[in-house]
Amino acid sequence: MNSIRVVISDDHKMIREGLKQLLELEGDIVVVGEAGDGIECLEQLESKKPDVLLLDINMPRMGGLKVLEKLREMKHTTKVLILTIHNEIEYLLKAVEIGVNGYILKDSESDLLRRAIFAVYRGETYIQPNMIPLLNEKLEGKEDITSSESLLTKREMEVLKLITEGLFNKEIAYNLSISEKTVKNHVSNIFRKISVSDRTQAAVYAIKNNIVEVL
C-alpha cells in the first residue's frame, strides 16, 4: 500500500512537528504539508492534494469548522479528521452535520490517532469510542426502535459489538476466526437491518440499545 498523504493544520508549531514525527515513524504515513491557520490550510490542500487532513478547530483567520464547510461546498475529496481539545457535544454534532469523516481528541493515544487516519482513508467514519455516548445523549427521547435481538443473528451481534469497540474488519475476522469477506457480509447485513449507513451510526445504535456497555 502506498503511504497515506497527510496535511496537518494546527496553529501550534510544536504540535505540528510532534504529530509529524509520530505519524511518520512506521513509514506508512507521510506528512506532505503543514498549516498554521485556516487560509493556509486551504492553500496547502490545493497544492499538496493530501489523502487526509488533520484539522484543529481553533485556528486564526479561519476556524476548522469553517474550513470544513468550505471543503464540503467545494466537494473536496480529501478526508477530514478533526483533532481537537473540544469534547463538547456541540462541536461534535456541528462537525458531523457538516460532514466530517472523523473526530478525535488531542489527548488520545497515538494508536487511536493512527487507527482513525486509516479508517477515514478507507472511506469509513471514525469517532473516538468514548465520545459516542455524547451522540447517544442527543438521541434520547426519539421513538423506540425494534428490539435488536429480533433483528440480528448471534454472530451479527458479536460483529456489532466489535464495531463499537472501533475494530476494523480484518481485526474482527481475527477475533472471531472467520474470513474478512464473511465479516464484510455481516457488516452489510447489520447496516441494512438496523437502517444505518456507517460504523459510527451502528455504534450509536448499539449503545442506545444496550448491546454494549459504555466504560
Side-chain angles (χ1 to χ4, degrees):
M1 185 183 86
N2 293 330
S3 296
I4 300 175
R5 294 164 51 83
V6 172
V7 162
I8 301 172
S9 186
D10 191 291
D11 59 336
H12 293 93
K13 184 174 178 60
M14 188 177 296
I15 289 179
R16 297 199 306 270
E17 291 177 346
L19 284 171
K20 176 178 168 62
Q21 292 179 8
L22 180 69
L23 294 176
E24 292 185 337
L25 279 176
E26 303 292 332
D28 47 10
I29 296 174
V30 57
V31 176
V32 297
E34 300 178 24
D37 61 64
I39 301 297
E40 187 180 4
C41 174
L42 292 175
E43 293 171 350
Q44 284 287 307
L45 290 179
E46 190 62 32
S47 62
K48 305 296 186 181
K49 295 180 169 44
D51 300 308
V52 177
L53 167 64
L54 279 186
L55 181 64
D56 189 18
I57 288 181
N58 294 333
M59 294 188 298
R61 298 176 74 191
M62 183 184 294
L65 293 178
K66 187 64 178 177
V67 169
L68 180 59
E69 286 182 350
K70 291 281 187 185
L71 293 177
R72 293 302 172 248
E73 290 171 4
M74 297 160 55
K75 301 190 184 305
H76 209 287
T77 58
T78 295
K79 307 298 184 183
V80 181
L81 174 60
I82 286 183
L83 180 62
T84 179
I85 61 171
H86 292 293
N87 61 0
E88 298 92 340
I89 184 62
E90 291 78 15
Y91 287 99
L92 174 57
L93 285 175
K94 182 63 175 176
V96 170
E97 178 185 323
I98 297 170
V100 76
N101 302 102
Y103 192 107
I104 65 173
L105 300 179
K106 286 184 175 179
D107 61 1
S108 301
E109 295 183 1
S110 59
D111 285 349
L112 183 64
L113 175 58
R114 287 177 54 81
R115 181 185 294 273
I117 290 173
F118 277 90
V120 300
Y121 174 71
R122 290 197 306 269
E124 300 173 11
T125 300
Y126 192 95
I127 292 177
Q128 187 166 317
N130 64 359
M131 292 194 69
I132 292 176
L134 296 174
L135 285 177
N136 188 40
E137 288 177 13
K138 288 298 180 180
L139 296 178
E140 292 298 330
K142 290 191 175 181
E143 58 183 278
D144 293 337
I145 36 189
T146 307
S147 171
S148 308
E149 288 74 7
S150 66
L151 289 173
L152 305 178
T153 66
K154 181 180 178 181
R155 178 64 87 187
E156 287 167 351
M157 294 279 280
E158 292 173 339
V159 171
L160 180 54
K161 289 177 182 179
L162 295 176
I163 287 175
T164 305
E165 291 174 15
L167 270 63
F168 299 146
N169 287 350
K170 185 175 182 180
E171 295 167 319
I172 293 174
Y174 177 81
N175 272 267
L176 299 180
S177 299
I178 57 179
S179 71
E180 189 171 353
K181 182 178 180 181
T182 299
V183 173
K184 288 180 180 178
N185 290 336
H186 284 315
V187 172
S188 295
N189 289 335
I190 291 167
F191 286 7
R192 175 177 54 79
K193 288 182 177 181
I194 66 177
S195 301
V196 300
S197 58
D198 62 43
R199 298 169 94 87
T200 298
Q201 293 173 3
V204 171
Y205 176 98
I207 293 171
K208 183 175 175 61
N209 288 274
N210 299 315
I211 296 173
V212 297
E213 294 181 359
V214 180
L215 299 180

Short mmCIF file of all heavy atoms in Angstrom, two decimals, residues 154-210:
data_model
loop_
_atom_site.label_atom_id
_atom_site.label_comp_id
_atom_site.label_asym_id
_atom_site.label_seq_id
_atom_site.Cartn_x
_atom_site.Cartn_y
_atom_site.Cartn_z
N LYS A 154 -26.97 -14.03 16.26
CA LYS A 154 -25.97 -14.03 17.33
C LYS A 154 -24.61 -13.56 16.79
O LYS A 154 -23.92 -12.77 17.43
CB LYS A 154 -25.84 -15.43 17.93
CG LYS A 154 -24.83 -15.51 19.06
CD LYS A 154 -24.75 -16.92 19.63
CE LYS A 154 -23.70 -17.00 20.73
NZ LYS A 154 -23.59 -18.38 21.28
N ARG A 155 -24.22 -14.04 15.60
CA ARG A 155 -22.94 -13.65 15.02
C ARG A 155 -22.93 -12.16 14.67
O ARG A 155 -21.93 -11.47 14.88
CB ARG A 155 -22.65 -14.49 13.77
CG ARG A 155 -21.36 -14.11 13.08
CD ARG A 155 -20.15 -14.38 13.97
NE ARG A 155 -19.67 -15.73 13.85
CZ ARG A 155 -18.72 -16.25 14.63
NH1 ARG A 155 -18.18 -15.53 15.59
NH2 ARG A 155 -18.32 -17.48 14.46
N GLU A 156 -24.04 -11.67 14.14
CA GLU A 156 -24.12 -10.24 13.81
C GLU A 156 -24.01 -9.38 15.05
O GLU A 156 -23.40 -8.31 15.02
CB GLU A 156 -25.44 -9.96 13.06
CG GLU A 156 -25.43 -10.49 11.63
CD GLU A 156 -26.81 -10.49 11.00
OE1 GLU A 156 -27.81 -10.25 11.72
OE2 GLU A 156 -26.89 -10.75 9.79
N MET A 157 -24.58 -9.85 16.17
CA MET A 157 -24.45 -9.12 17.44
C MET A 157 -22.99 -9.07 17.87
O MET A 157 -22.51 -8.03 18.34
CB MET A 157 -25.29 -9.81 18.51
CG MET A 157 -26.79 -9.77 18.26
SD MET A 157 -27.54 -8.21 18.73
CE MET A 157 -27.68 -8.44 20.50
N GLU A 158 -22.27 -10.17 17.68
CA GLU A 158 -20.85 -10.21 18.04
C GLU A 158 -20.06 -9.22 17.19
O GLU A 158 -19.19 -8.50 17.69
CB GLU A 158 -20.30 -11.62 17.85
CG GLU A 158 -20.85 -12.64 18.83
CD GLU A 158 -20.42 -14.07 18.50
OE1 GLU A 158 -20.04 -14.33 17.34
OE2 GLU A 158 -20.48 -14.92 19.41
N VAL A 159 -20.36 -9.20 15.90
CA VAL A 159 -19.68 -8.28 14.98
C VAL A 159 -19.99 -6.83 15.36
O VAL A 159 -19.10 -5.98 15.39
CB VAL A 159 -20.10 -8.55 13.52
CG1 VAL A 159 -19.56 -7.45 12.60
CG2 VAL A 159 -19.59 -9.92 13.07
N LEU A 160 -21.25 -6.55 15.68
CA LEU A 160 -21.65 -5.18 16.04
C LEU A 160 -20.91 -4.71 17.29
O LEU A 160 -20.48 -3.55 17.37
CB LEU A 160 -23.16 -5.12 16.25
CG LEU A 160 -23.74 -3.76 16.64
CD1 LEU A 160 -23.33 -2.67 15.64
CD2 LEU A 160 -25.25 -3.83 16.75
N LYS A 161 -20.76 -5.59 18.27
CA LYS A 161 -20.03 -5.23 19.49
C LYS A 161 -18.59 -4.84 19.17
O LYS A 161 -18.05 -3.87 19.70
CB LYS A 161 -20.06 -6.38 20.49
CG LYS A 161 -21.42 -6.61 21.13
CD LYS A 161 -21.40 -7.83 22.05
CE LYS A 161 -22.78 -8.08 22.64
NZ LYS A 161 -22.80 -9.28 23.52
N LEU A 162 -17.96 -5.58 18.28
CA LEU A 162 -16.57 -5.29 17.91
C LEU A 162 -16.46 -4.02 17.07
O LEU A 162 -15.48 -3.28 17.17
CB LEU A 162 -15.96 -6.49 17.18
CG LEU A 162 -15.82 -7.76 18.04
CD1 LEU A 162 -15.31 -8.92 17.20
CD2 LEU A 162 -14.90 -7.50 19.23
N ILE A 163 -17.46 -3.75 16.25
CA ILE A 163 -17.51 -2.48 15.50
C ILE A 163 -17.52 -1.33 16.49
O ILE A 163 -16.83 -0.33 16.33
CB ILE A 163 -18.75 -2.43 14.59
CG1 ILE A 163 -18.60 -3.36 13.39
CG2 ILE A 163 -19.01 -0.99 14.11
CD1 ILE A 163 -19.84 -3.45 12.53
N THR A 164 -18.33 -1.47 17.53
CA THR A 164 -18.47 -0.41 18.53
C THR A 164 -17.16 -0.17 19.29
O THR A 164 -16.89 0.94 19.74
CB THR A 164 -19.60 -0.76 19.52
OG1 THR A 164 -20.79 -1.00 18.78
CG2 THR A 164 -19.85 0.38 20.50
N GLU A 165 -16.34 -1.22 19.39
CA GLU A 165 -15.03 -1.08 20.05
C GLU A 165 -14.01 -0.42 19.12
O GLU A 165 -12.88 -0.17 19.52
CB GLU A 165 -14.52 -2.44 20.49
CG GLU A 165 -15.34 -3.05 21.63
CD GLU A 165 -14.91 -4.47 21.96
OE1 GLU A 165 -13.81 -4.87 21.52
OE2 GLU A 165 -15.67 -5.17 22.65
N GLY A 166 -14.40 -0.16 17.87
CA GLY A 166 -13.52 0.52 16.93
C GLY A 166 -12.65 -0.41 16.10
O GLY A 166 -11.71 0.04 15.45
N LEU A 167 -12.95 -1.72 16.10
CA LEU A 167 -12.12 -2.66 15.35
C LEU A 167 -12.43 -2.60 13.85
O LEU A 167 -13.56 -2.36 13.45
CB LEU A 167 -12.35 -4.10 15.84
CG LEU A 167 -11.44 -4.56 16.99
CD1 LEU A 167 -11.66 -3.74 18.23
CD2 LEU A 167 -11.67 -6.04 17.28
N PHE A 168 -11.39 -2.81 13.03
CA PHE A 168 -11.55 -2.89 11.59
C PHE A 168 -12.02 -4.29 11.22
O PHE A 168 -11.95 -5.23 12.01
CB PHE A 168 -10.22 -2.59 10.88
CG PHE A 168 -9.69 -1.21 11.15
CD1 PHE A 168 -8.31 -0.99 11.22
CD2 PHE A 168 -10.53 -0.13 11.30
CE1 PHE A 168 -7.79 0.27 11.44
CE2 PHE A 168 -10.04 1.14 11.53
CZ PHE A 168 -8.66 1.35 11.60
N ASN A 169 -12.45 -4.45 9.97
CA ASN A 169 -12.95 -5.76 9.51
C ASN A 169 -11.90 -6.86 9.68
O ASN A 169 -12.21 -7.98 10.08
CB ASN A 169 -13.39 -5.68 8.04
CG ASN A 169 -14.69 -4.92 7.88
OD1 ASN A 169 -15.36 -4.61 8.86
ND2 ASN A 169 -15.05 -4.62 6.65
N LYS A 170 -10.64 -6.54 9.35
CA LYS A 170 -9.57 -7.53 9.45
C LYS A 170 -9.40 -7.98 10.90
O LYS A 170 -9.19 -9.17 11.18
CB LYS A 170 -8.27 -6.95 8.91
CG LYS A 170 -7.11 -7.92 8.85
CD LYS A 170 -5.89 -7.29 8.19
CE LYS A 170 -4.75 -8.28 8.08
NZ LYS A 170 -3.56 -7.65 7.42
N GLU A 171 -9.50 -7.03 11.84
CA GLU A 171 -9.34 -7.35 13.26
C GLU A 171 -10.54 -8.15 13.77
O GLU A 171 -10.39 -9.06 14.60
CB GLU A 171 -9.17 -6.06 14.06
CG GLU A 171 -7.90 -5.31 13.72
CD GLU A 171 -7.88 -3.89 14.28
OE1 GLU A 171 -8.92 -3.22 14.24
OE2 GLU A 171 -6.82 -3.46 14.74
N ILE A 172 -11.72 -7.81 13.29
CA ILE A 172 -12.92 -8.56 13.67
C ILE A 172 -12.81 -10.00 13.18
O ILE A 172 -13.12 -10.95 13.91
CB ILE A 172 -14.19 -7.89 13.09
CG1 ILE A 172 -14.41 -6.52 13.74
CG2 ILE A 172 -15.42 -8.78 13.31
CD1 ILE A 172 -15.55 -5.72 13.13
N ALA A 173 -12.33 -10.16 11.94
CA ALA A 173 -12.15 -11.50 11.38
C ALA A 173 -11.21 -12.33 12.24
O ALA A 173 -11.47 -13.50 12.53
CB ALA A 173 -11.62 -11.39 9.95
N TYR A 174 -10.12 -11.71 12.68
CA TYR A 174 -9.14 -12.41 13.52
C TYR A 174 -9.76 -12.80 14.86
O TYR A 174 -9.59 -13.93 15.34
CB TYR A 174 -7.93 -11.51 13.75
CG TYR A 174 -6.89 -12.11 14.67
CD1 TYR A 174 -5.97 -13.04 14.20
CD2 TYR A 174 -6.84 -11.74 16.02
CE1 TYR A 174 -5.03 -13.61 15.05
CE2 TYR A 174 -5.90 -12.30 16.87
CZ TYR A 174 -5.00 -13.23 16.38
OH TYR A 174 -4.07 -13.79 17.22
N ASN A 175 -10.50 -11.86 15.47
CA ASN A 175 -11.10 -12.12 16.78
C ASN A 175 -12.13 -13.23 16.73
O ASN A 175 -12.26 -14.01 17.69
CB ASN A 175 -11.77 -10.83 17.31
CG ASN A 175 -10.81 -9.95 18.08
OD1 ASN A 175 -10.72 -10.06 19.30
ND2 ASN A 175 -10.10 -9.08 17.39
N LEU A 176 -12.88 -13.32 15.64
CA LEU A 176 -13.96 -14.29 15.54
C LEU A 176 -13.57 -15.54 14.75
O LEU A 176 -14.40 -16.43 14.55
CB LEU A 176 -15.20 -13.64 14.91
CG LEU A 176 -15.80 -12.45 15.67
CD1 LEU A 176 -17.01 -11.90 14.93
CD2 LEU A 176 -16.19 -12.85 17.09
N SER A 177 -12.32 -15.56 14.27
CA SER A 177 -11.81 -16.71 13.49
C SER A 177 -12.67 -16.99 12.26
O SER A 177 -13.05 -18.14 11.97
CB SER A 177 -11.75 -17.97 14.38
OG SER A 177 -10.88 -17.77 15.47
N ILE A 178 -13.01 -15.92 11.55
CA ILE A 178 -13.74 -16.04 10.29
C ILE A 178 -13.02 -15.20 9.24
O ILE A 178 -12.10 -14.44 9.56
CB ILE A 178 -15.21 -15.57 10.43
CG1 ILE A 178 -15.27 -14.11 10.93
CG2 ILE A 178 -15.99 -16.48 11.36
CD1 ILE A 178 -16.68 -13.56 11.07
N SER A 179 -13.41 -15.33 7.98
CA SER A 179 -12.73 -14.59 6.92
C SER A 179 -13.17 -13.13 6.89
O SER A 179 -14.27 -12.78 7.36
CB SER A 179 -13.03 -15.22 5.56
OG SER A 179 -14.37 -14.97 5.18
N GLU A 180 -12.32 -12.27 6.34
CA GLU A 180 -12.65 -10.85 6.24
C GLU A 180 -13.86 -10.65 5.32
O GLU A 180 -14.69 -9.76 5.55
CB GLU A 180 -11.45 -10.06 5.71
CG GLU A 180 -11.62 -8.56 5.78
CD GLU A 180 -10.35 -7.81 5.46
OE1 GLU A 180 -9.28 -8.45 5.30
OE2 GLU A 180 -10.41 -6.57 5.34
N LYS A 181 -13.99 -11.50 4.29
CA LYS A 181 -15.14 -11.41 3.39
C LYS A 181 -16.43 -11.70 4.14
O LYS A 181 -17.47 -11.03 3.94
CB LYS A 181 -14.98 -12.39 2.23
CG LYS A 181 -16.12 -12.32 1.22
CD LYS A 181 -15.89 -13.28 0.06
CE LYS A 181 -17.04 -13.19 -0.94
NZ LYS A 181 -16.85 -14.14 -2.08
N THR A 182 -16.38 -12.68 5.03
CA THR A 182 -17.56 -13.00 5.84
C THR A 182 -17.92 -11.84 6.75
O THR A 182 -19.10 -11.52 6.93
CB THR A 182 -17.30 -14.27 6.69
OG1 THR A 182 -17.04 -15.36 5.82
CG2 THR A 182 -18.51 -14.61 7.55
N VAL A 183 -16.91 -11.19 7.32
CA VAL A 183 -17.16 -10.01 8.17
C VAL A 183 -17.85 -8.92 7.35
O VAL A 183 -18.82 -8.31 7.82
CB VAL A 183 -15.84 -9.47 8.77
CG1 VAL A 183 -16.11 -8.15 9.50
CG2 VAL A 183 -15.23 -10.48 9.72
N LYS A 184 -17.35 -8.67 6.14
CA LYS A 184 -17.96 -7.64 5.29
C LYS A 184 -19.42 -7.94 5.03
O LYS A 184 -20.27 -7.04 5.03
CB LYS A 184 -17.19 -7.54 3.97
CG LYS A 184 -15.82 -6.91 4.09
CD LYS A 184 -15.11 -6.85 2.74
CE LYS A 184 -13.73 -6.23 2.87
NZ LYS A 184 -13.01 -6.21 1.57
N ASN A 185 -19.74 -9.22 4.81
CA ASN A 185 -21.13 -9.61 4.59
C ASN A 185 -21.98 -9.36 5.83
O ASN A 185 -23.11 -8.85 5.75
CB ASN A 185 -21.23 -11.09 4.20
CG ASN A 185 -20.69 -11.36 2.80
OD1 ASN A 185 -20.66 -10.46 1.96
ND2 ASN A 185 -20.25 -12.58 2.56
N HIS A 186 -21.42 -9.69 7.00
CA HIS A 186 -22.14 -9.44 8.26
C HIS A 186 -22.38 -7.95 8.46
O HIS A 186 -23.48 -7.54 8.86
CB HIS A 186 -21.34 -9.99 9.45
CG HIS A 186 -21.41 -11.48 9.59
ND1 HIS A 186 -22.59 -12.19 9.49
CD2 HIS A 186 -20.44 -12.41 9.85
CE1 HIS A 186 -22.35 -13.48 9.67
NE2 HIS A 186 -21.05 -13.64 9.89
N VAL A 187 -21.35 -7.14 8.19
CA VAL A 187 -21.47 -5.70 8.37
C VAL A 187 -22.57 -5.13 7.46
O VAL A 187 -23.40 -4.32 7.88
CB VAL A 187 -20.12 -5.00 8.10
CG1 VAL A 187 -20.31 -3.47 8.09
CG2 VAL A 187 -19.10 -5.38 9.16
N SER A 188 -22.60 -5.58 6.21
CA SER A 188 -23.63 -5.12 5.27
C SER A 188 -25.02 -5.48 5.76
O SER A 188 -25.96 -4.67 5.71
CB SER A 188 -23.40 -5.74 3.89
OG SER A 188 -22.18 -5.27 3.33
N ASN A 189 -25.16 -6.71 6.27
CA ASN A 189 -26.45 -7.16 6.79
C ASN A 189 -26.88 -6.36 8.02
O ASN A 189 -28.05 -5.99 8.17
CB ASN A 189 -26.40 -8.65 7.15
CG ASN A 189 -26.33 -9.53 5.92
OD1 ASN A 189 -26.77 -9.14 4.83
ND2 ASN A 189 -25.77 -10.73 6.08
N ILE A 190 -25.90 -6.07 8.89
CA ILE A 190 -26.19 -5.28 10.10
C ILE A 190 -26.68 -3.90 9.71
O ILE A 190 -27.71 -3.42 10.22
CB ILE A 190 -24.93 -5.18 11.00
CG1 ILE A 190 -24.60 -6.53 11.61
CG2 ILE A 190 -25.14 -4.14 12.10
CD1 ILE A 190 -23.22 -6.60 12.24
N PHE A 191 -25.95 -3.23 8.81
CA PHE A 191 -26.33 -1.89 8.39
C PHE A 191 -27.75 -1.89 7.82
O PHE A 191 -28.55 -0.99 8.10
CB PHE A 191 -25.36 -1.36 7.34
CG PHE A 191 -24.01 -0.93 7.88
CD1 PHE A 191 -23.67 -1.16 9.20
CD2 PHE A 191 -23.08 -0.31 7.06
CE1 PHE A 191 -22.44 -0.77 9.70
CE2 PHE A 191 -21.86 0.10 7.54
CZ PHE A 191 -21.53 -0.13 8.86
N ARG A 192 -28.05 -2.90 6.99
CA ARG A 192 -29.38 -2.96 6.35
C ARG A 192 -30.47 -3.19 7.39
O ARG A 192 -31.52 -2.52 7.37
CB ARG A 192 -29.39 -4.09 5.32
CG ARG A 192 -30.74 -4.33 4.67
CD ARG A 192 -30.66 -5.41 3.60
NE ARG A 192 -30.07 -6.64 4.11
CZ ARG A 192 -30.73 -7.53 4.83
NH1 ARG A 192 -32.01 -7.33 5.15
NH2 ARG A 192 -30.13 -8.65 5.23
N LYS A 193 -30.23 -4.11 8.33
CA LYS A 193 -31.25 -4.47 9.31
C LYS A 193 -31.56 -3.34 10.29
O LYS A 193 -32.72 -3.19 10.71
CB LYS A 193 -30.81 -5.72 10.08
CG LYS A 193 -30.87 -7.00 9.28
CD LYS A 193 -30.45 -8.19 10.13
CE LYS A 193 -30.58 -9.50 9.37
NZ LYS A 193 -30.19 -10.67 10.20
N ILE A 194 -30.54 -2.58 10.69
CA ILE A 194 -30.78 -1.52 11.68
C ILE A 194 -30.86 -0.14 11.04
O ILE A 194 -30.91 0.87 11.74
CB ILE A 194 -29.72 -1.55 12.80
CG1 ILE A 194 -28.33 -1.19 12.27
CG2 ILE A 194 -29.70 -2.90 13.50
CD1 ILE A 194 -27.26 -1.12 13.35
N SER A 195 -30.86 -0.13 9.71
CA SER A 195 -31.06 1.12 8.94
C SER A 195 -30.03 2.19 9.25
O SER A 195 -30.37 3.33 9.60
CB SER A 195 -32.48 1.67 9.18
OG SER A 195 -33.45 0.73 8.81
N VAL A 196 -28.75 1.82 9.16
CA VAL A 196 -27.67 2.80 9.30
C VAL A 196 -26.78 2.71 8.07
O VAL A 196 -26.86 1.75 7.30
CB VAL A 196 -26.85 2.56 10.58
CG1 VAL A 196 -27.72 2.65 11.82
CG2 VAL A 196 -26.12 1.22 10.53
N SER A 197 -25.92 3.72 7.89
CA SER A 197 -25.08 3.75 6.70
C SER A 197 -23.59 3.72 6.99
O SER A 197 -22.78 3.63 6.07
CB SER A 197 -25.40 5.01 5.87
OG SER A 197 -25.19 6.18 6.64
N ASP A 198 -23.20 3.82 8.27
CA ASP A 198 -21.78 3.73 8.57
C ASP A 198 -21.56 3.17 9.97
O ASP A 198 -22.50 2.93 10.73
CB ASP A 198 -21.08 5.09 8.41
CG ASP A 198 -21.60 6.16 9.35
OD1 ASP A 198 -21.82 5.86 10.55
OD2 ASP A 198 -21.77 7.30 8.92
N ARG A 199 -20.29 2.96 10.31
CA ARG A 199 -19.93 2.28 11.56
C ARG A 199 -20.24 3.14 12.79
O ARG A 199 -20.58 2.60 13.86
CB ARG A 199 -18.43 1.91 11.54
CG ARG A 199 -18.11 0.95 10.41
CD ARG A 199 -16.61 0.81 10.22
NE ARG A 199 -16.04 -0.31 10.94
CZ ARG A 199 -15.97 -1.54 10.46
NH1 ARG A 199 -16.45 -1.82 9.26
NH2 ARG A 199 -15.41 -2.51 11.17
N THR A 200 -20.13 4.45 12.66
CA THR A 200 -20.44 5.33 13.79
C THR A 200 -21.91 5.23 14.16
O THR A 200 -22.27 5.11 15.34
CB THR A 200 -20.08 6.79 13.46
OG1 THR A 200 -18.68 6.87 13.22
CG2 THR A 200 -20.44 7.71 14.61
N GLN A 201 -22.79 5.27 13.15
CA GLN A 201 -24.22 5.14 13.41
C GLN A 201 -24.53 3.79 14.02
O GLN A 201 -25.39 3.67 14.91
CB GLN A 201 -24.99 5.33 12.11
CG GLN A 201 -24.92 6.73 11.53
CD GLN A 201 -25.57 6.83 10.16
OE1 GLN A 201 -26.13 5.87 9.65
NE2 GLN A 201 -25.49 8.01 9.56
N ALA A 202 -23.84 2.75 13.55
CA ALA A 202 -24.04 1.41 14.10
C ALA A 202 -23.63 1.36 15.57
O ALA A 202 -24.31 0.75 16.40
CB ALA A 202 -23.25 0.39 13.29
N ALA A 203 -22.52 2.03 15.90
CA ALA A 203 -22.05 2.05 17.29
C ALA A 203 -23.03 2.79 18.19
O ALA A 203 -23.31 2.37 19.31
CB ALA A 203 -20.67 2.70 17.35
N VAL A 204 -23.56 3.91 17.68
CA VAL A 204 -24.55 4.67 18.45
C VAL A 204 -25.79 3.80 18.70
O VAL A 204 -26.33 3.76 19.81
CB VAL A 204 -24.94 5.96 17.70
CG1 VAL A 204 -26.14 6.63 18.38
CG2 VAL A 204 -23.77 6.93 17.65
N TYR A 205 -26.22 3.08 17.68
CA TYR A 205 -27.36 2.17 17.81
C TYR A 205 -27.09 1.12 18.90
O TYR A 205 -27.94 0.84 19.74
CB TYR A 205 -27.60 1.49 16.46
CG TYR A 205 -28.71 0.44 16.47
CD1 TYR A 205 -29.99 0.75 16.05
CD2 TYR A 205 -28.45 -0.86 16.91
CE1 TYR A 205 -31.00 -0.20 16.06
CE2 TYR A 205 -29.45 -1.82 16.93
CZ TYR A 205 -30.72 -1.49 16.50
OH TYR A 205 -31.71 -2.43 16.52
N ALA A 206 -25.87 0.56 18.88
CA ALA A 206 -25.52 -0.49 19.83
C ALA A 206 -25.57 0.02 21.26
O ALA A 206 -26.05 -0.67 22.17
CB ALA A 206 -24.14 -1.04 19.50
N ILE A 207 -25.08 1.23 21.47
CA ILE A 207 -25.06 1.81 22.81
C ILE A 207 -26.49 2.15 23.27
O ILE A 207 -26.91 1.85 24.38
CB ILE A 207 -24.17 3.06 22.86
CG1 ILE A 207 -22.71 2.67 22.63
CG2 ILE A 207 -24.32 3.79 24.19
CD1 ILE A 207 -21.78 3.83 22.45
N LYS A 208 -27.26 2.74 22.36
CA LYS A 208 -28.63 3.14 22.69
C LYS A 208 -29.48 1.93 23.07
O LYS A 208 -30.36 2.02 23.92
CB LYS A 208 -29.25 3.89 21.51
CG LYS A 208 -30.66 4.41 21.77
CD LYS A 208 -31.15 5.23 20.60
CE LYS A 208 -32.59 5.66 20.80
NZ LYS A 208 -32.78 6.49 22.00
N ASN A 209 -29.20 0.79 22.43
CA ASN A 209 -30.00 -0.40 22.66
C ASN A 209 -29.35 -1.38 23.63
O ASN A 209 -29.73 -2.55 23.70
CB ASN A 209 -30.28 -1.09 21.32
CG ASN A 209 -31.27 -0.31 20.49
OD1 ASN A 209 -32.48 -0.48 20.64
ND2 ASN A 209 -30.79 0.56 19.63
N ASN A 210 -28.32 -0.86 24.37
CA ASN A 210 -27.68 -1.66 25.43
C ASN A 210 -27.06 -2.96 24.93
O ASN A 210 -27.01 -3.96 25.65
CB ASN A 210 -28.68 -1.97 26.56
CG ASN A 210 -29.21 -0.72 27.22
OD1 ASN A 210 -28.45 0.20 27.52
ND2 ASN A 210 -30.51 -0.66 27.42
#
